[in-house]
Amino acid sequence: MKKLSIIRGLLSVACALLSLTAVAQEYNQIDESGNITRRSDNGNFNKHKTDSASNKEVPKGIHVWTIDRRFGDVRPTEPDTIPHLYMNTIFNTGIYGEYNTTGNNYTARLSRIFIDRPEFEEFIFTQPYSWFNKQPDQFHFTNTLSPFTNISYDNCGDKQNGEDHIDAKFAVNASKELGFGFDLNYAYARGYYAHQAASHFGATLYGSYLGDQYQLHALFNINHQKVAENGGITDDNYILHPESEISTFSTDEIPTVLSLNWNRNNNMHFLLSHRYSVGFYRQEKMTEEEIKARKFAEEAKPKKEETETPQGRPDDARVVGELPPDNGPVTEGNSRITVDSHEKRDSLLAAEALNDSTMKQVFVPVTSFIHTLDLNNYDRIYQASDSPDDYYANTYFDRYDDLQNYGDSIYDNTKHLSVKNTLAIALLEGFNKYAKAGLKVFASHEYRRYQMPDTISGQTYSTMSRWTEHDISIGGQINKTQGKTLHYNLMAEAWVAGASVGDLAVDFNTDLNFPLFGDTVQLAANASLHRISPGFYLCKYHSKHFWWDGSLDKENRLHLEGLFSYTKTNTQLRVAIDEVKNYTYLGMSYDYGDEARKNYKAKVYQESGNINILTAQLRQNFRLGILNWENIITYQNSSNQDVLPLPALNIWSNLYIKFKVVKQLTFEIGGDVTFFTKYEAPDFCPQLNQFAIQQNPDSRVELGGYPFVDVYANMHLKRTRFFVMYSHVNAGGGSRNYFLTPHYPTNEGTLRLGVSWNFYN
């Protein structure tokens, strides 16, 4: 009932917002789905809308972009209302099935593709929830043609084991410069196996102002997350060899290692990035689309009534003063204006340009002054009411001073606050023909505070202690984003004071685009050199059963990557080489006991030697009439599989037919498969909410060599997307090694339904 009340509340809020109205603004290039790919800058916001325009069709469309987290630079992107592969967006295994998970949806995940794994965040405990927790530079800001609402809902199963996910988005513009909106996201998966329910609720409020001289982006987000942890099933043979068991178990009856254990996370994020620019205005020729948009705006304006009193001089009006001499009529042929200075000539040219309906006035920023505030607050609890006998190898204290709890109960709590301010000055590209690149210089200060248990010498209890850190860094950026042929971006940052003094990060990327056989070839490359200190929690962590203190060497990472893309053949080839020294990772081990595991322990380690990783990824799509075949094949080779295990091959393939019915309803009917070769995949440590390397050679297991197959019908009708899917359709036959994490089987075959509506005005 509580879940249904939340869903009804979200729907009520979204429906109420549909009644709001906003004034139409000018855009161009609206696709068949109602998405805008570019917004014209020439339109005028109509503040005097009346009922005379009420019979006109409500304009539809939304323009979206992301921002750079450091500078707030705008980066246009695709809206997340794309119909293709909509059914795969609901999985935390990823759209292309490239993530390992603990079986249930919305739980922790880790990418099998090394070059797609981010480095450790400062607060490592929420990083595995990347399906739900979006980083600020991944969030979609909006500019809407009319008030926009999207409601998406998908579910599967029943009240005992099913899933429900609802996401309500709303966006509106008060003017062409000012836009704001919110996103409410609720995901609940009860779990097909015992003690693995996952519940996430997030609320995001955002706004943006994109004026000529002043620009602002603001983002406020809160998340409440709770996941039950079962530690995996006690014996893999319940899945691998069900015929060996005396009785048949349903998935929720299979014994699990843990019960009454939870990961709880409450986190809050606030990002404010704003800038003031100085520059000048100049006249530019409008594109054909912009001319059409201006014409549309003019036609939308209310027309004056014909009965209005004409403005002018009344017939009986008297003229005060002497009349000018009558020198005869002035005709077009003999009228002349004397131009006797450069100022008069420039004024006439400017007036002519302003009167020309094909010209627009554009602000050209020369220098920008930028400030960004990035604030993050976390509160994590690992809580347990019961633990198996001899399960933990170590116990560092018996009770907490503030809670006075004893025995097997666990209440591991840690809190983290970070406040980062960045000041930057930017000389922007494009203000004259010699400014071929932009230049930024910046300085950042970050304050970090940590709280977690600590013990007093000679005592058996723990109390909360606090640690603080400061960092100061400076850096610069050179980039070229304009033009169609060549783009590049070079960023460097050095830490000059604080806990991370001596750290260095250099990143470079570039792309070259040129025509070939009637289409465009793109060659892209990126390189990075990072010399970074491991974060606080990798060096120090205290809890009842896991404890480490110490210092770690700086991790050195060198990354080189090339990308070849040719649209005409739907081909993309990605090749990367990585070299890592002092690779930092978590390792865990345990022994097998009677129907349980014992001597469980986990810790952070470093590999002092060099590890080399070679990656080659081919994306190749084929199309023949209504038949479509999409493929992603990834090859990986790690020089140290004991420390950094990776599957040699990871394959995703999607075969489907696509056709339309009565020119409105689009069908995609087919199936996709995910497959990876066998390897010793990382295990999962629920007490740290982290994936960790299997260290005990007696308990190591291999995963892989099993295809995960889904079949689906994905449909799109005007502003509505919906799908019917049967996931893991092959669960019942042949090999049953459907584990993505050791001892955590995935869900069996499940029927899933989903729908997403777009509403305008």
Side-chain angles (χ1 to χ4, degrees):
M1 293 300 294
K2 182 179 179 181
K3 173 185 69 64
L4 292 176
S5 300
I6 294 175
I7 293 175
R8 291 193 189 102
L10 294 177
L11 289 173
S12 300
V13 171
C15 292
L17 290 168
L18 289 174
S19 63
L20 298 178
T21 59
V23 183
Q25 299 158 47
E26 298 86 290
Y27 289 83
N28 53 40
Q29 297 186 8
I30 302 176
D31 65 19
E32 62 180 6
S33 302
N35 299 315
I36 301 170
T37 58
R38 187 171 59 187
R39 173 177 179 268
S40 75
D41 298 319
N42 61 290
N44 296 318
F45 175 58
N46 179 10
K47 297 180 290 185
H48 308 289
K49 183 177 180 181
T50 66
D51 291 339
S52 62
S54 62
N55 293 327
K56 291 187 177 293
E57 182 181 356
V58 175
K60 307 175 182 67
I62 181 170
H63 169 64
V64 300
W65 66 91
T66 60
I67 63 170
D68 178 87
R69 188 169 186 170
R70 190 192 306 273
F71 304 119
D73 294 338
V74 172
R75 301 177 298 196
T77 189
E78 293 286 343
D80 54 7
T81 56
I82 302 300
H84 184 52
L85 295 179
Y86 166 51
M87 69 285 174
N88 283 4
T89 62
I90 69 171
F91 293 123
N92 67 331
T93 51
I95 295 178
Y96 307 111
E98 70 273 29
Y99 285 89
N100 286 350
T101 73
T102 59
N104 195 21
N105 215 0
Y106 319 138
T107 54
R109 69 178 189 174
L110 176 72
S111 177
R112 291 188 298 275
I113 312 302
F114 177 77
I115 56 177
D116 292 336
R117 290 182 189 174
E119 298 178 11
F120 277 115
E121 296 176 2
E122 188 64 35
F123 195 78
I124 62 176
F125 307 104
T126 57
Q127 190 170 3
Y129 298 138
S130 58
W131 177 85
F132 189 86
N133 294 336
K134 301 297 183 184
Q135 295 297 317
D137 51 6
Q138 297 173 326
F139 186 81
H140 286 185
F141 288 85
T142 58
N143 203 317
T144 65
L145 197 64
S146 59
F148 170 79
T149 302
N150 172 265
I151 299 177
S152 299
Y153 176 74
D154 61 85
N155 80 332
C156 71
D158 54 31
K159 295 181 179 179
Q160 299 298 321
N161 53 27
E163 301 170 11
D164 289 283
H165 173 224
I166 185 169
D167 188 1
K169 296 182 174 73
F170 175 76
V172 67
N173 267 64
S175 68
K176 72 174 184 178
E177 296 90 0
L178 178 61
F180 55 90
F182 67 79
D183 184 356
L184 299 177
N185 196 2
Y186 176 71
Y188 181 49
R190 300 165 185 83
Y192 284 79
Y193 298 88
H195 313 299
Q196 62 167 183
S199 176
H200 304 275
F201 176 77
T204 303
L205 179 66
Y206 66 93
S208 63
Y209 180 85
L210 299 180
D212 286 343
Q213 291 187 276
Y214 183 71
Q215 295 186 358
L216 176 146
H217 290 90
L219 178 68
F220 177 73
N221 169 257
I222 55 173
N223 295 308
H224 172 71
Q225 301 172 284
K226 179 182 177 182
V227 178
E229 303 291 354
N230 64 16
I233 60 176
T234 58
D235 190 343
D236 293 353
N237 286 320
Y238 285 108
I239 301 297
L240 297 176
H241 304 289
E243 70 281 355
S244 64
E245 300 300 325
I246 298 176
S247 60
T248 301
F249 287 83
S250 62
T251 55
D252 60 342
E253 294 173 334
I254 295 177
T256 60
V257 175
L258 301 177
S259 62
L260 303 178
N261 285 240
W262 299 273
N263 265 305
R264 301 173 183 268
N265 287 281
N266 293 303
N267 46 86
M268 183 273 290
H269 313 274
F270 177 70
L271 179 71
L272 171 66
S273 182
H274 56 143
R275 65 176 63 193
Y276 181 80
S277 301
V278 294
F280 59 91
Y281 287 90
R282 69 183 176 198
Q283 300 293 325
E284 289 185 0
K285 192 77 172 179
M286 295 166 57
T287 65
E288 292 184 4
E289 290 83 2
E290 290 172 331
I291 294 174
K292 292 178 182 178
R294 173 174 284 185
K295 183 178 179 182
F296 173 82
E298 291 296 330
E299 292 176 352
K301 290 181 179 179
K303 295 185 171 50
K304 295 180 180 180
E305 299 291 340
E306 294 182 357
T307 58
E308 267 188 4
T309 304
Q311 300 297 318
R313 181 173 61 86
D315 294 338
D316 58 349
R318 298 182 61 185
V319 178
V320 178
E322 298 181 358
L323 292 173
D326 187 2
N327 296 326
V330 178
T331 63
E332 186 177 350
N334 63 11
S335 63
R336 295 289 186 272
I337 299 177
T338 302
V339 180
D340 54 6
S341 68
H342 291 292
E343 289 77 6
K344 286 186 178 181
R345 183 193 63 185
D346 293 340
S347 298
L348 288 172
L349 291 175
E352 182 180 353
L354 288 173
N355 291 328
D356 189 347
S357 60
T358 65
M359 300 297 291
K360 63 179 179 179
Q361 195 174 26
V362 177
F363 177 74
V364 181
V366 176
T367 304
S368 293
F369 302 92
I370 304 169
H371 169 245
T372 299
L373 169 64
D374 195 343
L375 186 150
N376 303 276
N377 190 43
Y378 300 89
D379 186 354
R380 176 189 183 260
I381 298 170
Y382 183 79
Q383 184 176 2
S385 301
D386 186 28
S387 298
D389 293 337
D390 301 323
Y391 179 65
Y392 293 103
N394 301 296
T395 299
Y396 296 97
F397 53 86
D398 291 333
R399 63 184 177 88
Y400 300 90
D401 186 38
D402 53 344
L403 297 177
Q404 299 293 317
N405 57 338
Y406 296 85
D408 294 332
S409 60
I410 301 172
Y411 193 86
D412 295 335
N413 181 213
T414 183
K415 300 179 181 181
H416 170 53
L417 170 68
S418 69
V419 182
K420 185 175 183 179
N421 282 279
T422 300
L423 297 175
I425 300 176
L427 300 176
L428 305 177
E429 65 175 306
F431 65 88
N432 65 44
K433 62 181 180 179
Y434 302 108
K436 299 299 184 182
L439 174 65
K440 295 186 182 78
V441 293
F442 67 90
S444 296
H445 173 265
E446 184 173 12
Y447 165 78
R448 297 187 296 271
R449 185 184 70 201
Y450 309 88
Q451 290 179 269
M452 60 184 177
D454 201 8
T455 57
I456 301 174
S457 178
Q459 302 297 325
T460 60
Y461 62 86
S462 172
T463 185
M464 293 292 285
S465 296
R466 178 179 295 183
W467 293 261
T468 59
E469 291 182 347
H470 292 265
D471 270 328
I472 297 177
S473 65
I474 58 174
Q477 180 190 49
I478 300 175
N479 67 338
K480 181 181 183 298
T481 61
Q482 299 179 5
K484 297 181 179 180
T485 303
L486 176 66
H487 311 99
Y488 56 83
N489 178 34
L490 174 63
M491 171 79 74
E493 182 175 13
W495 281 258
V496 296
S500 303
V501 62
D503 286 8
L504 176 67
V506 180
D507 297 275
F508 174 76
N509 60 73
T510 182
D511 64 84
L512 176 66
N513 305 273
F514 58 90
L516 179 66
F517 303 129
D519 213 320
T520 300
V521 171
Q522 182 183 71
L523 296 177
N526 67 72
S528 63
L529 175 62
H530 290 182
R531 185 173 184 267
I532 301 297
S533 300
F536 177 87
Y537 286 108
L538 297 175
C539 298
K540 182 188 296 288
Y541 179 69
H542 299 167
S543 67
K544 186 172 183 178
H545 298 292
F546 299 87
W547 194 290
W548 59 81
D549 281 296
S551 60
L552 297 173
D553 294 330
K554 295 183 185 297
E555 187 177 86
N556 296 277
R557 292 193 179 213
L558 174 64
H559 174 77
L560 302 172
E561 181 178 337
L563 176 71
F564 168 83
S565 180
Y566 189 38
T567 307
K568 191 171 186 178
T569 60
N570 291 313
T571 303
Q572 185 183 91
L573 178 62
R574 185 182 180 195
V575 179
I577 298 174
D578 290 84
E579 182 176 278
V580 186
K581 182 177 176 57
N582 296 329
Y583 177 64
T584 307
Y585 65 97
L586 279 94
M588 60 182 285
S589 66
Y590 45 79
D591 301 321
Y592 281 108
D594 297 332
E595 290 296 319
R597 300 179 187 107
K598 61 181 182 179
N599 297 327
Y600 190 90
K601 55 186 176 182
K603 189 179 178 181
V604 174
Y605 297 86
Q606 271 194 329
E607 173 59 37
S608 59
N610 289 335
I611 303 177
N612 298 289
I613 304 98
L614 172 65
T615 306
Q617 184 178 84
L618 174 66
R619 291 176 178 242
Q620 181 63 65
N621 299 337
F622 303 95
R623 183 176 182 181
L624 181 62
I626 64 172
L627 183 64
N628 296 265
W629 188 22
E630 301 171 341
N631 301 276
I632 303 177
I633 304 172
T634 306
Y635 168 79
Q636 298 179 111
N637 181 269
S638 169
S639 64
N640 191 338
Q641 287 282 349
D642 291 334
V643 170
L644 182 54
L646 298 170
L649 281 178
N650 190 90
I651 299 172
W652 177 81
S653 186
N654 181 33
L655 182 66
Y656 63 98
I657 58 174
K658 183 177 181 179
F659 58 92
K660 285 189 176 183
V661 178
V662 295
K663 298 182 180 180
Q664 297 291 336
L665 179 60
T666 301
F667 279 88
E668 292 179 347
I669 300 177
D672 66 351
V673 59
T674 300
F675 176 88
F676 56 92
T677 54
K678 289 186 177 182
Y679 78 116
E680 293 180 351
D683 207 333
F684 183 70
C685 179
Q687 295 80 3
L688 301 173
N689 203 40
Q690 292 291 305
F691 289 87
I693 302 303
Q694 303 180 64
Q695 290 190 310
N696 187 351
D698 297 330
S699 61
R700 286 182 178 177
V701 296
E702 281 191 334
L703 306 181
Y706 177 87
F708 294 86
V709 181
D710 303 333
V711 294
Y712 62 85
N714 185 38
M715 293 150 280
H716 178 223
L717 177 63
K718 293 185 177 180
R719 291 176 284 166
T720 305
R721 301 173 292 162
F722 51 100
F723 70 84
V724 179
M725 166 191 280
Y726 199 89
S727 61
H728 200 187
V729 68
N730 60 318
S735 170
R736 296 176 57 88
N737 191 19
Y738 44 83
F739 294 83
L740 291 174
T741 299
H743 318 303
Y744 287 86
T746 61
N747 292 336
E748 295 184 345
T750 306
L751 179 66
R752 299 176 180 272
L753 306 172
V755 62
S756 178
W757 298 275
N758 292 338
F759 301 94
Y760 297 92
N761 204 27

